[in-house]
Amino acid sequence: MPTAPNLHEVVQGVDPASRVVYVDNDPIVLVHARALLTSSSHGSTAYLDADLSCPEVRAFDFSRPIAISLLAILQFITDDAEAYRIIDALLEPLAPGSALAISTVTAHNEQAVLGAKAYTARGIPARPRTDDEVRRLFRDLDLVDPGVTLVSRWRPTGPTPDDFHVQMSGGIAVKR
């Protein structure tokens, strides 16, 4: 769902000519995207109605580095083999220097684990992952400092919340 600031707003704030494509298959997200996803005159923002498990979108110049953000989604891909398949399919066509950002529900505290169990009990399978499990999702990529950690510790701009209240771990890595 679009939020504030949106990813494209942050990215185009750094480089106004950036092109950002969101991918989701939720019709409610599509309605919000059409209304809210606008770009600078130099860049572009688009929304594709597609499923992450079928990553066959070819909307960019794959000879140049591209960044892929899998934020708050992989907890819903509960099977590691399927998560690896999706990540591999997304990364395969990308040029060296491309980046992958991942955040997912962490298994570092009981509150996060209980949240995932509540999703699963309501018919939405969810799986918290340890930092080691998240690290393995990056396999052959070079992790950027500080590596896989609670998201509140990744480039903090102010005081970080108590670790107990942070339920996402993540990291960024670059393709060789």
Side-chain angles (χ1 to χ4, degrees):
M1 291 289 275
T3 186
N6 289 295
L7 179 65
H8 70 281
E9 294 167 325
V10 173
V11 170
Q12 291 171 348
V14 174
D15 181 355
S18 295
R19 294 174 288 177
V20 176
V21 176
Y22 294 92
V23 179
D24 204 315
N25 64 350
D26 184 325
I28 294 171
V29 174
L30 176 59
V31 170
H32 284 281
R34 286 184 176 140
L36 299 174
L37 300 181
T38 58
S39 296
S40 70
S41 59
H42 303 291
S44 66
T45 303
Y47 176 93
L48 296 175
D49 184 9
D51 189 321
L52 178 66
S53 66
C54 302
E56 295 164 19
V57 176
R58 302 290 184 244
F60 290 100
D61 174 0
F62 286 93
S63 67
R64 298 177 60 192
I66 293 173
I68 294 179
S69 298
L70 297 178
L71 306 178
I73 189 71
L74 290 177
Q75 64 264 20
F76 301 113
I77 309 296
T78 59
D79 178 59
D80 281 341
E82 178 66 1
Y84 293 145
R85 185 195 67 75
I86 291 168
I87 292 167
D88 290 347
L90 290 168
L91 292 175
E92 186 273 324
L94 302 186
S98 293
L100 174 64
I102 293 174
S103 72
T104 189
V105 169
T106 183
H108 92 280
N109 72 35
E110 188 61 24
Q111 183 177 355
V113 172
L114 290 173
K117 285 181 181 178
Y119 267 96
T120 301
R122 288 174 177 77
I124 303 170
R127 176 179 168 215
R129 286 184 168 90
T130 66
D131 286 355
D132 284 338
E133 290 171 320
V134 175
R135 231 176 258 106
R136 285 193 291 273
L137 294 172
F138 290 107
R139 292 177 298 166
D140 296 326
L141 304 176
D142 294 326
L143 278 166
V144 175
D145 284 338
V148 172
T149 187
L150 294 174
V151 295
S152 60
R153 296 181 184 174
W154 231 98
R155 307 285 189 246
T157 57
T160 58
D162 180 338
D163 287 352
F164 178 79
H165 295 97
V166 180
Q167 297 186 17
M168 302 289 283
S169 286
I172 297 174
V174 177
K175 185 176 180 178
R176 297 180 202 123

